[in-house]
Amino acid sequence: MEKHTLSILVNNTSGVLMRVVSLFSRRGYNIDTLSVGETENPQISRITIVVSAARSTLEQIKRQVGKLIDCVNVVEMSDENSIQKELVLVKISADEEKRARVVELADIFKARIQDVTESTITLMVTGSLKKLDSFLSLVSSYGIVELARTGITAMERGAKSLIENK
């Protein structure tokens, strides 16, 4: 099964996120990542969902989500035609001795230092899944104390907007 990114525009009303997520739950589809936020129009929200599914299952998911009352549009985001990013906050075990090496890795990956204590350093890094997985793999040897990920947020490349893409 491949990972697919869906960008879903919905009316920004109470309960709409629950209806979208319960559709996945009722049918036994697992959501790998989920991010939600208001768009440039406060009456519309964008839900970005990454799901692992076969092509036929994905097409079924898109049709079912598209039938929801508050759904404005559902579009699959391809790697080539979209910008897909995630934000990670990671607290790493780094005493004085290890800190310089962790900061070097942070510089390489353009991570930003958010907090430093005697025993930890907290970094914020954004980028593609591949970049973030590489970064986390490298810093894991120092000991990850805590990790928070936002999930993928995606937008189509070019001048067209998702609302025009109906």
Side-chain angles (χ1 to χ4, degrees), residues 87-126:
L87 179 140
V88 171
L89 290 173
V90 59
K91 188 180 296 181
I92 303 162
S93 179
D95 56 23
E96 219 174 295
E97 182 183 310
K98 296 178 190 173
R99 194 168 300 128
R101 291 185 300 230
V102 172
V103 169
E104 282 179 34
L105 282 173
D107 286 343
I108 291 167
F109 283 87
K110 295 183 175 32
R112 287 185 262 158
I113 298 170
Q114 301 298 304
D115 187 46
V116 178
T117 69
E118 288 182 19
S119 60
T120 64
I121 185 167
T122 303
L123 302 170
M124 177 181 69
V125 61
T126 59

PDB file of all heavy atoms in Angstrom, residues 87-126:
ATOM      1  N   LEU A  87       5.967  19.998  10.331  1.00  0.00           N
ATOM      2  CA  LEU A  87       6.772  20.617  11.372  1.00  0.00           C
ATOM      3  C   LEU A  87       6.959  19.616  12.503  1.00  0.00           C
ATOM      4  O   LEU A  87       6.012  18.914  12.869  1.00  0.00           O
ATOM      5  CB  LEU A  87       6.067  21.867  11.902  1.00  0.00           C
ATOM      6  CG  LEU A  87       6.779  22.611  13.016  1.00  0.00           C
ATOM      7  CD1 LEU A  87       6.657  24.101  12.801  1.00  0.00           C
ATOM      8  CD2 LEU A  87       6.230  22.251  14.377  1.00  0.00           C
ATOM      9  N   VAL A  88       8.188  19.534  13.012  1.00  0.00           N
ATOM     10  CA  VAL A  88       8.500  18.634  14.123  1.00  0.00           C
ATOM     11  C   VAL A  88       9.177  19.436  15.227  1.00  0.00           C
ATOM     12  O   VAL A  88      10.083  20.232  14.955  1.00  0.00           O
ATOM     13  CB  VAL A  88       9.446  17.494  13.675  1.00  0.00           C
ATOM     14  CG1 VAL A  88       9.948  16.692  14.869  1.00  0.00           C
ATOM     15  CG2 VAL A  88       8.753  16.582  12.689  1.00  0.00           C
ATOM     16  N   LEU A  89       8.728  19.237  16.454  1.00  0.00           N
ATOM     17  CA  LEU A  89       9.438  19.706  17.641  1.00  0.00           C
ATOM     18  C   LEU A  89      10.033  18.471  18.288  1.00  0.00           C
ATOM     19  O   LEU A  89       9.316  17.489  18.510  1.00  0.00           O
ATOM     20  CB  LEU A  89       8.480  20.387  18.627  1.00  0.00           C
ATOM     21  CG  LEU A  89       7.898  21.733  18.207  1.00  0.00           C
ATOM     22  CD1 LEU A  89       6.843  22.186  19.206  1.00  0.00           C
ATOM     23  CD2 LEU A  89       8.997  22.780  18.094  1.00  0.00           C
ATOM     24  N   VAL A  90      11.329  18.504  18.554  1.00  0.00           N
ATOM     25  CA  VAL A  90      11.981  17.339  19.141  1.00  0.00           C
ATOM     26  C   VAL A  90      12.899  17.788  20.278  1.00  0.00           C
ATOM     27  O   VAL A  90      13.710  18.694  20.105  1.00  0.00           O
ATOM     28  CB  VAL A  90      12.744  16.504  18.077  1.00  0.00           C
ATOM     29  CG1 VAL A  90      13.802  17.308  17.372  1.00  0.00           C
ATOM     30  CG2 VAL A  90      13.340  15.249  18.683  1.00  0.00           C
ATOM     31  N   LYS A  91      12.718  17.170  21.427  1.00  0.00           N
ATOM     32  CA  LYS A  91      13.567  17.421  22.593  1.00  0.00           C
ATOM     33  C   LYS A  91      14.580  16.290  22.662  1.00  0.00           C
ATOM     34  O   LYS A  91      14.206  15.117  22.738  1.00  0.00           O
ATOM     35  CB  LYS A  91      12.727  17.466  23.869  1.00  0.00           C
ATOM     36  CG  LYS A  91      13.500  17.912  25.094  1.00  0.00           C
ATOM     37  CD  LYS A  91      12.605  17.938  26.331  1.00  0.00           C
ATOM     38  CE  LYS A  91      11.494  18.963  26.166  1.00  0.00           C
ATOM     39  NZ  LYS A  91      10.627  19.031  27.357  1.00  0.00           N
ATOM     40  N   ILE A  92      15.861  16.664  22.609  1.00  0.00           N
ATOM     41  CA  ILE A  92      16.939  15.688  22.525  1.00  0.00           C
ATOM     42  C   ILE A  92      17.785  15.763  23.786  1.00  0.00           C
ATOM     43  O   ILE A  92      18.101  16.850  24.271  1.00  0.00           O
ATOM     44  CB  ILE A  92      17.817  15.979  21.283  1.00  0.00           C
ATOM     45  CG1 ILE A  92      16.960  15.959  20.023  1.00  0.00           C
ATOM     46  CG2 ILE A  92      18.971  14.991  21.183  1.00  0.00           C
ATOM     47  CD1 ILE A  92      17.592  16.634  18.846  1.00  0.00           C
ATOM     48  N   SER A  93      18.171  14.604  24.276  1.00  0.00           N
ATOM     49  CA  SER A  93      19.082  14.532  25.410  1.00  0.00           C
ATOM     50  C   SER A  93      20.445  15.019  24.937  1.00  0.00           C
ATOM     51  O   SER A  93      21.036  14.436  24.021  1.00  0.00           O
ATOM     52  CB  SER A  93      19.160  13.088  25.903  1.00  0.00           C
ATOM     53  OG  SER A  93      20.054  12.994  26.976  1.00  0.00           O
ATOM     54  N   ALA A  94      20.929  16.118  25.499  1.00  0.00           N
ATOM     55  CA  ALA A  94      22.200  16.682  25.039  1.00  0.00           C
ATOM     56  C   ALA A  94      22.858  17.454  26.175  1.00  0.00           C
ATOM     57  O   ALA A  94      22.567  18.626  26.390  1.00  0.00           O
ATOM     58  CB  ALA A  94      21.971  17.587  23.835  1.00  0.00           C
ATOM     59  N   ASP A  95      23.742  16.771  26.878  1.00  0.00           N
ATOM     60  CA  ASP A  95      24.507  17.478  27.899  1.00  0.00           C
ATOM     61  C   ASP A  95      25.526  18.371  27.192  1.00  0.00           C
ATOM     62  O   ASP A  95      25.596  18.411  25.964  1.00  0.00           O
ATOM     63  CB  ASP A  95      25.168  16.499  28.867  1.00  0.00           C
ATOM     64  CG  ASP A  95      26.068  15.482  28.170  1.00  0.00           C
ATOM     65  OD1 ASP A  95      26.536  15.760  27.048  1.00  0.00           O
ATOM     66  OD2 ASP A  95      26.290  14.412  28.752  1.00  0.00           O
ATOM     67  N   GLU A  96      26.334  19.059  27.964  1.00  0.00           N
ATOM     68  CA  GLU A  96      27.298  20.007  27.403  1.00  0.00           C
ATOM     69  C   GLU A  96      28.215  19.355  26.363  1.00  0.00           C
ATOM     70  O   GLU A  96      28.542  19.951  25.343  1.00  0.00           O
ATOM     71  CB  GLU A  96      28.142  20.586  28.546  1.00  0.00           C
ATOM     72  CG  GLU A  96      28.440  22.051  28.380  1.00  0.00           C
ATOM     73  CD  GLU A  96      29.148  22.602  29.605  1.00  0.00           C
ATOM     74  OE1 GLU A  96      28.537  22.624  30.677  1.00  0.00           O
ATOM     75  OE2 GLU A  96      30.325  22.992  29.446  1.00  0.00           O
ATOM     76  N   GLU A  97      28.580  18.121  26.621  1.00  0.00           N
ATOM     77  CA  GLU A  97      29.493  17.385  25.743  1.00  0.00           C
ATOM     78  C   GLU A  97      28.872  17.081  24.375  1.00  0.00           C
ATOM     79  O   GLU A  97      29.515  17.198  23.341  1.00  0.00           O
ATOM     80  CB  GLU A  97      29.873  16.074  26.446  1.00  0.00           C
ATOM     81  CG  GLU A  97      30.841  15.202  25.706  1.00  0.00           C
ATOM     82  CD  GLU A  97      31.081  13.911  26.463  1.00  0.00           C
ATOM     83  OE1 GLU A  97      31.365  13.974  27.674  1.00  0.00           O
ATOM     84  OE2 GLU A  97      30.955  12.839  25.842  1.00  0.00           O
ATOM     85  N   LYS A  98      27.597  16.705  24.349  1.00  0.00           N
ATOM     86  CA  LYS A  98      26.913  16.318  23.102  1.00  0.00           C
ATOM     87  C   LYS A  98      26.304  17.508  22.358  1.00  0.00           C
ATOM     88  O   LYS A  98      26.032  17.414  21.167  1.00  0.00           O
ATOM     89  CB  LYS A  98      25.780  15.334  23.409  1.00  0.00           C
ATOM     90  CG  LYS A  98      26.207  14.022  23.990  1.00  0.00           C
ATOM     91  CD  LYS A  98      24.950  13.210  24.269  1.00  0.00           C
ATOM     92  CE  LYS A  98      25.223  11.974  25.080  1.00  0.00           C
ATOM     93  NZ  LYS A  98      23.979  11.313  25.479  1.00  0.00           N
ATOM     94  N   ARG A  99      26.067  18.593  23.079  1.00  0.00           N
ATOM     95  CA  ARG A  99      25.301  19.710  22.514  1.00  0.00           C
ATOM     96  C   ARG A  99      25.877  20.245  21.209  1.00  0.00           C
ATOM     97  O   ARG A  99      25.138  20.508  20.256  1.00  0.00           O
ATOM     98  CB  ARG A  99      25.167  20.822  23.548  1.00  0.00           C
ATOM     99  CG  ARG A  99      24.119  21.840  23.145  1.00  0.00           C
ATOM    100  CD  ARG A  99      23.754  22.798  24.259  1.00  0.00           C
ATOM    101  NE  ARG A  99      23.217  22.063  25.395  1.00  0.00           N
ATOM    102  CZ  ARG A  99      23.652  22.184  26.652  1.00  0.00           C
ATOM    103  NH1 ARG A  99      24.620  23.025  26.931  1.00  0.00           N
ATOM    104  NH2 ARG A  99      23.121  21.490  27.625  1.00  0.00           N
ATOM    105  N   ALA A 100      27.176  20.405  21.109  1.00  0.00           N
ATOM    106  CA  ALA A 100      27.794  20.963  19.895  1.00  0.00           C
ATOM    107  C   ALA A 100      27.494  20.085  18.678  1.00  0.00           C
ATOM    108  O   ALA A 100      27.216  20.591  17.588  1.00  0.00           O
ATOM    109  CB  ALA A 100      29.297  21.117  20.090  1.00  0.00           C
ATOM    110  N   ARG A 101      27.543  18.755  18.859  1.00  0.00           N
ATOM    111  CA  ARG A 101      27.256  17.850  17.741  1.00  0.00           C
ATOM    112  C   ARG A 101      25.791  17.938  17.322  1.00  0.00           C
ATOM    113  O   ARG A 101      25.467  17.888  16.134  1.00  0.00           O
ATOM    114  CB  ARG A 101      27.638  16.420  18.112  1.00  0.00           C
ATOM    115  CG  ARG A 101      29.160  16.253  18.245  1.00  0.00           C
ATOM    116  CD  ARG A 101      29.529  14.831  18.499  1.00  0.00           C
ATOM    117  NE  ARG A 101      28.896  14.387  19.743  1.00  0.00           N
ATOM    118  CZ  ARG A 101      29.508  13.783  20.737  1.00  0.00           C
ATOM    119  NH1 ARG A 101      30.780  13.518  20.640  1.00  0.00           N
ATOM    120  NH2 ARG A 101      28.864  13.417  21.815  1.00  0.00           N
ATOM    121  N   VAL A 102      24.898  18.065  18.299  1.00  0.00           N
ATOM    122  CA  VAL A 102      23.468  18.201  17.995  1.00  0.00           C
ATOM    123  C   VAL A 102      23.212  19.510  17.251  1.00  0.00           C
ATOM    124  O   VAL A 102      22.465  19.548  16.271  1.00  0.00           O
ATOM    125  CB  VAL A 102      22.605  18.093  19.273  1.00  0.00           C
ATOM    126  CG1 VAL A 102      21.156  18.418  18.977  1.00  0.00           C
ATOM    127  CG2 VAL A 102      22.740  16.709  19.898  1.00  0.00           C
ATOM    128  N   VAL A 103      23.875  20.588  17.687  1.00  0.00           N
ATOM    129  CA  VAL A 103      23.713  21.889  17.020  1.00  0.00           C
ATOM    130  C   VAL A 103      24.245  21.824  15.589  1.00  0.00           C
ATOM    131  O   VAL A 103      23.650  22.399  14.674  1.00  0.00           O
ATOM    132  CB  VAL A 103      24.392  23.020  17.836  1.00  0.00           C
ATOM    133  CG1 VAL A 103      24.465  24.318  17.040  1.00  0.00           C
ATOM    134  CG2 VAL A 103      23.642  23.245  19.141  1.00  0.00           C
ATOM    135  N   GLU A 104      25.336  21.094  15.356  1.00  0.00           N
ATOM    136  CA  GLU A 104      25.855  20.914  13.991  1.00  0.00           C
ATOM    137  C   GLU A 104      24.822  20.222  13.106  1.00  0.00           C
ATOM    138  O   GLU A 104      24.590  20.637  11.965  1.00  0.00           O
ATOM    139  CB  GLU A 104      27.136  20.080  14.005  1.00  0.00           C
ATOM    140  CG  GLU A 104      28.364  20.840  14.418  1.00  0.00           C
ATOM    141  CD  GLU A 104      29.597  19.947  14.441  1.00  0.00           C
ATOM    142  OE1 GLU A 104      29.687  19.013  13.600  1.00  0.00           O
ATOM    143  OE2 GLU A 104      30.462  20.183  15.299  1.00  0.00           O
ATOM    144  N   LEU A 105      24.199  19.157  13.622  1.00  0.00           N
ATOM    145  CA  LEU A 105      23.146  18.468  12.862  1.00  0.00           C
ATOM    146  C   LEU A 105      21.976  19.415  12.600  1.00  0.00           C
ATOM    147  O   LEU A 105      21.415  19.436  11.501  1.00  0.00           O
ATOM    148  CB  LEU A 105      22.647  17.237  13.619  1.00  0.00           C
ATOM    149  CG  LEU A 105      23.520  16.003  13.553  1.00  0.00           C
ATOM    150  CD1 LEU A 105      22.986  14.913  14.479  1.00  0.00           C
ATOM    151  CD2 LEU A 105      23.604  15.481  12.128  1.00  0.00           C
ATOM    152  N   ALA A 106      21.626  20.200  13.606  1.00  0.00           N
ATOM    153  CA  ALA A 106      20.528  21.166  13.444  1.00  0.00           C
ATOM    154  C   ALA A 106      20.842  22.143  12.314  1.00  0.00           C
ATOM    155  O   ALA A 106      19.980  22.441  11.486  1.00  0.00           O
ATOM    156  CB  ALA A 106      20.287  21.911  14.753  1.00  0.00           C
ATOM    157  N   ASP A 107      22.076  22.626  12.266  1.00  0.00           N
ATOM    158  CA  ASP A 107      22.476  23.560  11.201  1.00  0.00           C
ATOM    159  C   ASP A 107      22.362  22.910   9.827  1.00  0.00           C
ATOM    160  O   ASP A 107      21.872  23.524   8.881  1.00  0.00           O
ATOM    161  CB  ASP A 107      23.915  24.050  11.414  1.00  0.00           C
ATOM    162  CG  ASP A 107      24.029  25.047  12.556  1.00  0.00           C
ATOM    163  OD1 ASP A 107      22.988  25.611  12.967  1.00  0.00           O
ATOM    164  OD2 ASP A 107      25.162  25.243  13.043  1.00  0.00           O
ATOM    165  N   ILE A 108      22.808  21.677   9.703  1.00  0.00           N
ATOM    166  CA  ILE A 108      22.753  20.967   8.422  1.00  0.00           C
ATOM    167  C   ILE A 108      21.313  20.849   7.925  1.00  0.00           C
ATOM    168  O   ILE A 108      21.035  21.037   6.742  1.00  0.00           O
ATOM    169  CB  ILE A 108      23.395  19.561   8.551  1.00  0.00           C
ATOM    170  CG1 ILE A 108      24.896  19.698   8.760  1.00  0.00           C
ATOM    171  CG2 ILE A 108      23.089  18.700   7.328  1.00  0.00           C
ATOM    172  CD1 ILE A 108      25.590  18.416   9.202  1.00  0.00           C
ATOM    173  N   PHE A 109      20.388  20.566   8.849  1.00  0.00           N
ATOM    174  CA  PHE A 109      18.984  20.368   8.478  1.00  0.00           C
ATOM    175  C   PHE A 109      18.142  21.638   8.612  1.00  0.00           C
ATOM    176  O   PHE A 109      16.930  21.598   8.482  1.00  0.00           O
ATOM    177  CB  PHE A 109      18.379  19.238   9.318  1.00  0.00           C
ATOM    178  CG  PHE A 109      18.794  17.877   8.857  1.00  0.00           C
ATOM    179  CD1 PHE A 109      19.963  17.296   9.328  1.00  0.00           C
ATOM    180  CD2 PHE A 109      18.037  17.174   7.934  1.00  0.00           C
ATOM    181  CE1 PHE A 109      20.359  16.036   8.901  1.00  0.00           C
ATOM    182  CE2 PHE A 109      18.420  15.921   7.502  1.00  0.00           C
ATOM    183  CZ  PHE A 109      19.591  15.351   7.987  1.00  0.00           C
ATOM    184  N   LYS A 110      18.791  22.768   8.886  1.00  0.00           N
ATOM    185  CA  LYS A 110      18.109  24.056   9.045  1.00  0.00           C
ATOM    186  C   LYS A 110      17.046  24.012  10.154  1.00  0.00           C
ATOM    187  O   LYS A 110      15.988  24.638  10.048  1.00  0.00           O
ATOM    188  CB  LYS A 110      17.513  24.531   7.726  1.00  0.00           C
ATOM    189  CG  LYS A 110      18.575  24.823   6.683  1.00  0.00           C
ATOM    190  CD  LYS A 110      17.960  25.348   5.415  1.00  0.00           C
ATOM    191  CE  LYS A 110      18.934  25.770   4.361  1.00  0.00           C
ATOM    192  NZ  LYS A 110      20.176  25.157   4.201  1.00  0.00           N
ATOM    193  N   ALA A 111      17.352  23.258  11.204  1.00  0.00           N
ATOM    194  CA  ALA A 111      16.474  23.211  12.380  1.00  0.00           C
ATOM    195  C   ALA A 111      16.790  24.431  13.241  1.00  0.00           C
ATOM    196  O   ALA A 111      17.913  24.948  13.222  1.00  0.00           O
ATOM    197  CB  ALA A 111      16.726  21.928  13.172  1.00  0.00           C
ATOM    198  N   ARG A 112      15.805  24.899  13.985  1.00  0.00           N
ATOM    199  CA  ARG A 112      15.993  26.062  14.846  1.00  0.00           C
ATOM    200  C   ARG A 112      15.895  25.661  16.313  1.00  0.00           C
ATOM    201  O   ARG A 112      14.996  24.923  16.696  1.00  0.00           O
ATOM    202  CB  ARG A 112      14.958  27.133  14.525  1.00  0.00           C
ATOM    203  CG  ARG A 112      15.289  27.805  13.187  1.00  0.00           C
ATOM    204  CD  ARG A 112      14.367  28.934  12.895  1.00  0.00           C
ATOM    205  NE  ARG A 112      13.355  28.371  11.980  1.00  0.00           N
ATOM    206  CZ  ARG A 112      12.154  28.860  11.801  1.00  0.00           C
ATOM    207  NH1 ARG A 112      11.770  29.917  12.453  1.00  0.00           N
ATOM    208  NH2 ARG A 112      11.310  28.296  10.972  1.00  0.00           N
ATOM    209  N   ILE A 113      16.813  26.170  17.084  1.00  0.00           N
ATOM    210  CA  ILE A 113      16.827  25.897  18.520  1.00  0.00           C
ATOM    211  C   ILE A 113      15.680  26.674  19.173  1.00  0.00           C
ATOM    212  O   ILE A 113      15.533  27.879  18.970  1.00  0.00           O
ATOM    213  CB  ILE A 113      18.174  26.303  19.148  1.00  0.00           C
ATOM    214  CG1 ILE A 113      19.299  25.475  18.538  1.00  0.00           C
ATOM    215  CG2 ILE A 113      18.132  26.150  20.666  1.00  0.00           C
ATOM    216  CD1 ILE A 113      20.703  25.943  18.898  1.00  0.00           C
ATOM    217  N   GLN A 114      14.864  25.950  19.961  1.00  0.00           N
ATOM    218  CA  GLN A 114      13.724  26.559  20.629  1.00  0.00           C
ATOM    219  C   GLN A 114      13.945  26.676  22.140  1.00  0.00           C
ATOM    220  O   GLN A 114      13.405  27.568  22.775  1.00  0.00           O
ATOM    221  CB  GLN A 114      12.456  25.740  20.372  1.00  0.00           C
ATOM    222  CG  GLN A 114      12.103  25.608  18.911  1.00  0.00           C
ATOM    223  CD  GLN A 114      11.818  26.937  18.252  1.00  0.00           C
ATOM    224  OE1 GLN A 114      10.963  27.686  18.703  1.00  0.00           O
ATOM    225  NE2 GLN A 114      12.549  27.266  17.207  1.00  0.00           N
ATOM    226  N   ASP A 115      14.752  25.749  22.699  1.00  0.00           N
ATOM    227  CA  ASP A 115      14.966  25.744  24.139  1.00  0.00           C
ATOM    228  C   ASP A 115      16.231  24.942  24.443  1.00  0.00           C
ATOM    229  O   ASP A 115      16.519  23.960  23.755  1.00  0.00           O
ATOM    230  CB  ASP A 115      13.763  25.103  24.844  1.00  0.00           C
ATOM    231  CG  ASP A 115      13.834  25.211  26.355  1.00  0.00           C
ATOM    232  OD1 ASP A 115      14.147  26.304  26.861  1.00  0.00           O
ATOM    233  OD2 ASP A 115      13.584  24.192  27.030  1.00  0.00           O
ATOM    234  N   VAL A 116      16.963  25.377  25.461  1.00  0.00           N
ATOM    235  CA  VAL A 116      18.157  24.669  25.894  1.00  0.00           C
ATOM    236  C   VAL A 116      18.146  24.602  27.418  1.00  0.00           C
ATOM    237  O   VAL A 116      17.873  25.606  28.086  1.00  0.00           O
ATOM    238  CB  VAL A 116      19.449  25.393  25.432  1.00  0.00           C
ATOM    239  CG1 VAL A 116      20.686  24.675  25.935  1.00  0.00           C
ATOM    240  CG2 VAL A 116      19.487  25.523  23.923  1.00  0.00           C
ATOM    241  N   THR A 117      18.405  23.410  27.950  1.00  0.00           N
ATOM    242  CA  THR A 117      18.589  23.239  29.394  1.00  0.00           C
ATOM    243  C   THR A 117      19.949  22.573  29.601  1.00  0.00           C
ATOM    244  O   THR A 117      20.658  22.287  28.631  1.00  0.00           O
ATOM    245  CB  THR A 117      17.482  22.358  30.020  1.00  0.00           C
ATOM    246  OG1 THR A 117      17.649  21.010  29.548  1.00  0.00           O
ATOM    247  CG2 THR A 117      16.089  22.873  29.678  1.00  0.00           C
ATOM    248  N   GLU A 118      20.284  22.287  30.832  1.00  0.00           N
ATOM    249  CA  GLU A 118      21.558  21.617  31.102  1.00  0.00           C
ATOM    250  C   GLU A 118      21.617  20.225  30.484  1.00  0.00           C
ATOM    251  O   GLU A 118      22.684  19.743  30.130  1.00  0.00           O
ATOM    252  CB  GLU A 118      21.788  21.517  32.610  1.00  0.00           C
ATOM    253  CG  GLU A 118      22.114  22.848  33.245  1.00  0.00           C
ATOM    254  CD  GLU A 118      22.383  22.719  34.734  1.00  0.00           C
ATOM    255  OE1 GLU A 118      22.670  21.597  35.201  1.00  0.00           O
ATOM    256  OE2 GLU A 118      22.304  23.743  35.410  1.00  0.00           O
ATOM    257  N   SER A 119      20.456  19.584  30.333  1.00  0.00           N
ATOM    258  CA  SER A 119      20.462  18.193  29.862  1.00  0.00           C
ATOM    259  C   SER A 119      19.737  17.971  28.531  1.00  0.00           C
ATOM    260  O   SER A 119      19.796  16.876  27.983  1.00  0.00           O
ATOM    261  CB  SER A 119      19.830  17.295  30.926  1.00  0.00           C
ATOM    262  OG  SER A 119      18.492  17.697  31.157  1.00  0.00           O
ATOM    263  N   THR A 120      19.059  18.986  27.994  1.00  0.00           N
ATOM    264  CA  THR A 120      18.317  18.796  26.741  1.00  0.00           C
ATOM    265  C   THR A 120      18.447  20.006  25.829  1.00  0.00           C
ATOM    266  O   THR A 120      18.787  21.108  26.260  1.00  0.00           O
ATOM    267  CB  THR A 120      16.801  18.565  26.991  1.00  0.00           C
ATOM    268  OG1 THR A 120      16.245  19.737  27.580  1.00  0.00           O
ATOM    269  CG2 THR A 120      16.547  17.348  27.852  1.00  0.00           C
ATOM    270  N   ILE A 121      18.130  19.762  24.566  1.00  0.00           N
ATOM    271  CA  ILE A 121      17.994  20.835  23.590  1.00  0.00           C
ATOM    272  C   ILE A 121      16.732  20.529  22.785  1.00  0.00           C
ATOM    273  O   ILE A 121      16.512  19.384  22.387  1.00  0.00           O
ATOM    274  CB  ILE A 121      19.246  20.971  22.699  1.00  0.00           C
ATOM    275  CG1 ILE A 121      19.132  22.176  21.762  1.00  0.00           C
ATOM    276  CG2 ILE A 121      19.510  19.700  21.918  1.00  0.00           C
ATOM    277  CD1 ILE A 121      20.449  22.546  21.083  1.00  0.00           C
ATOM    278  N   THR A 122      15.885  21.523  22.590  1.00  0.00           N
ATOM    279  CA  THR A 122      14.654  21.349  21.830  1.00  0.00           C
ATOM    280  C   THR A 122      14.792  22.083  20.508  1.00  0.00           C
ATOM    281  O   THR A 122      15.148  23.265  20.475  1.00  0.00           O
ATOM    282  CB  THR A 122      13.433  21.869  22.612  1.00  0.00           C
ATOM    283  OG1 THR A 122      13.374  21.186  23.862  1.00  0.00           O
ATOM    284  CG2 THR A 122      12.140  21.635  21.843  1.00  0.00           C
ATOM    285  N   LEU A 123      14.518  21.355  19.421  1.00  0.00           N
ATOM    286  CA  LEU A 123      14.671  21.898  18.080  1.00  0.00           C
ATOM    287  C   LEU A 123      13.344  21.871  17.339  1.00  0.00           C
ATOM    288  O   LEU A 123      12.496  21.011  17.590  1.00  0.00           O
ATOM    289  CB  LEU A 123      15.682  21.060  17.295  1.00  0.00           C
ATOM    290  CG  LEU A 123      17.080  20.940  17.898  1.00  0.00           C
ATOM    291  CD1 LEU A 123      17.888  19.884  17.155  1.00  0.00           C
ATOM    292  CD2 LEU A 123      17.786  22.277  17.865  1.00  0.00           C
ATOM    293  N   MET A 124      13.196  22.809  16.409  1.00  0.00           N
ATOM    294  CA  MET A 124      12.053  22.827  15.502  1.00  0.00           C
ATOM    295  C   MET A 124      12.619  22.678  14.098  1.00  0.00           C
ATOM    296  O   MET A 124      13.520  23.411  13.700  1.00  0.00           O
ATOM    297  CB  MET A 124      11.279  24.138  15.608  1.00  0.00           C
ATOM    298  CG  MET A 124      10.122  24.220  14.621  1.00  0.00           C
ATOM    299  SD  MET A 124       9.206  25.765  14.713  1.00  0.00           S
ATOM    300  CE  MET A 124      10.396  26.918  14.072  1.00  0.00           C
ATOM    301  N   VAL A 125      12.081  21.717  13.359  1.00  0.00           N
ATOM    302  CA  VAL A 125      12.530  21.505  11.987  1.00  0.00           C
ATOM    303  C   VAL A 125      11.307  21.283  11.105  1.00  0.00           C
ATOM    304  O   VAL A 125      10.338  20.658  11.527  1.00  0.00           O
ATOM    305  CB  VAL A 125      13.549  20.330  11.901  1.00  0.00           C
ATOM    306  CG1 VAL A 125      12.949  19.036  12.362  1.00  0.00           C
ATOM    307  CG2 VAL A 125      14.127  20.186  10.508  1.00  0.00           C
ATOM    308  N   THR A 126      11.353  21.847   9.909  1.00  0.00           N
ATOM    309  CA  THR A 126      10.254  21.670   8.962  1.00  0.00           C
ATOM    310  C   THR A 126      10.811  21.087   7.669  1.00  0.00           C
ATOM    311  O   THR A 126      11.988  21.246   7.360  1.00  0.00           O
ATOM    312  CB  THR A 126       9.558  23.011   8.633  1.00  0.00           C
ATOM    313  OG1 THR A 126      10.527  23.906   8.087  1.00  0.00           O
ATOM    314  CG2 THR A 126       8.915  23.619   9.858  1.00  0.00           C
TER     315      THR A 126
END
